[in-house]
Amino acid sequence: MEFFDAVARRRSVRDYTDEVVPDDVIQKAFDAAILAPNSSNTQTWNFYWVKSPGPKKKLVEACLSQSAARKANHLIVVAADPNLWRRSQGPLIQWVQSVNAPKQVQLYYSKLIPFIYRWGIFNSMAPIKWLATTVIGLFRPMARGPYTRRDAQEVAIKSAALAAENFVLAIAAQGYDTCMMEGFDSSRVRRLLKMKCSERAVMVISVGRQGERATWGPQFRLPKDQVVKIV
Ligand SMILES: Cc1cc2nc3c(=O)[nH]c(=O)nc-3n(C[C@H](O)[C@H](O)[C@H](O)COP(=O)(O)O)c2cc1C
């Protein structure tokens, strides 16, 4: 399917048929998800494909039993955890060296990333970082933050959301349907998936073949000229 056809096909579907979506379709969508652009290529995301009937039932309940979850064939949780920069640091440094990337890139991964992703106990480093960037920022453009744990979490959440979008478009391109959900009980999802306290469920995605009452109507958007500002 062409890219723009997949974009047009994707809708938030809340009613699915009983048709089984082959695992290959989901795997292919994960391949697309992990190719999403992400902050500093730190890949601070996890994808939980909840397949076992018991946990799946609990996940549906945690999704407030909304129909998009209840009727889904597959349920995937996209999660973000800024602490996962540590998982990618070693492989990234090796990769940077193997491709002979400029020295600054090597320094970026070995020195700057650990600094950026450090906020200290109770965000104790945040004021120092803020002061440093504010003072230097008076004289030249500076990246402002992330300062706090919450800021770093926001960075990770952005990347995870982009992966989620790649995932749903890849499902659409294969002729199936999805619904992204943030209407869920995050504490229950965390407990169910035994997530660390630094990890956050960003989105639950349901997958299936759309049923008769798939959407409430044609897609609605504000006119483009209201939201696109040409400066
Ligand atoms: C961050 C996010 C959270 C959403 N949460 C839910 C949800 O919990 N339940 C649901 O039925 N749809 C959910 N949606 C789907 C939106 O309602 C839907 O994208 C929007 O109404 C536009 O419709 P469309 O996707 O068919 O174009 C969510 C979408 C996004 C991006």
Side-chain angles (χ1 to χ4, degrees), residues 66-77:
Q66 50 178 303
S67 62
R70 224 174 46 240
K71 300 192 174 176
N73 201 229
H74 295 276
L75 286 175
I76 287 95
V77 180

Side-chain angles (χ1 to χ4, degrees), residues 49-92:
W49 185 1
V50 182
K51 295 184 89 173
S52 311
K56 197 171 167 191
K57 187 169 168 280
K58 283 191 176 149
L59 182 56
V60 170
E61 286 165 9
C63 290
L64 319 175
S65 298
Q66 50 178 303
S67 62
R70 224 174 46 240
K71 300 192 174 176
N73 201 229
H74 295 276
L75 286 175
I76 287 95
V77 180
V78 181
D81 180 354
N83 282 342
L84 289 175
W85 70 269
R86 290 195 173 89
R87 177 177 67 181
S88 54
Q89 193 198 24
L92 274 170

Side-chain angles (χ1 to χ4, degrees), residues 121-166:
I121 299 167
F122 298 121
N123 293 316
S124 52
M125 284 178 68
I128 303 162
K129 283 178 160 187
W130 177 84
L131 193 66
T133 54
T134 305
V135 171
I136 300 169
L138 290 173
F139 305 100
R140 65 176 171 89
M142 274 296 287
R144 314 287 172 131
Y147 303 123
T148 63
R149 178 171 175 268
R150 185 70 192 84
D151 293 344
Q153 222 166 27
E154 189 178 290
V155 173
I157 290 168
K158 283 185 211 169
S159 297
L162 294 174
E165 179 66 1
N166 265 21

